[in-house]
Amino acid sequence: MEIVNSHRGDAFRTMYTVQLAGTVYVLHAFQKKSKTGRATPKGEMELVRQRLAQATRIAKEGRP
């Protein structure tokens, strides 16, 4: 899931998941700086993917 918020003309995004054993994992939060396009930069998405994989491993191990 993604939350997008604008504040004084700046865009902020937070990406998180709630599908892992009822726990909310905030995977990444950042300020979107691109002036063109709405897509999230590839580097940011790769970081989210890495952190989701880590959160999935943690959830399977039963750790908070």
Side-chain angles (χ1 to χ4, degrees):
M1 302 188 98
E2 177 180 26
I3 296 173
V4 178
N5 188 20
S6 295
H7 178 70
R8 296 184 184 174
D10 294 324
F12 297 88
R13 294 184 179 191
T14 303
M15 297 184 186
Y16 65 97
T17 182
V18 294
Q19 298 178 0
L20 301 173
T23 302
V24 175
Y25 290 87
V26 176
L27 303 174
H28 191 40
F30 63 98
Q31 179 179 4
K32 187 169 181 315
K33 296 183 179 185
S34 174
K35 300 295 182 195
T36 60
R38 296 177 57 171
T40 300
K42 290 180 183 179
E44 303 288 353
M45 287 305 300
E46 182 56 33
L47 184 56
V48 169
R49 286 185 196 95
Q50 291 172 4
R51 290 179 176 170
L52 178 58
Q54 183 179 14
T56 301
R57 282 192 302 273
I58 291 169
K60 286 181 180 178
E61 294 171 2
R63 295 188 288 153

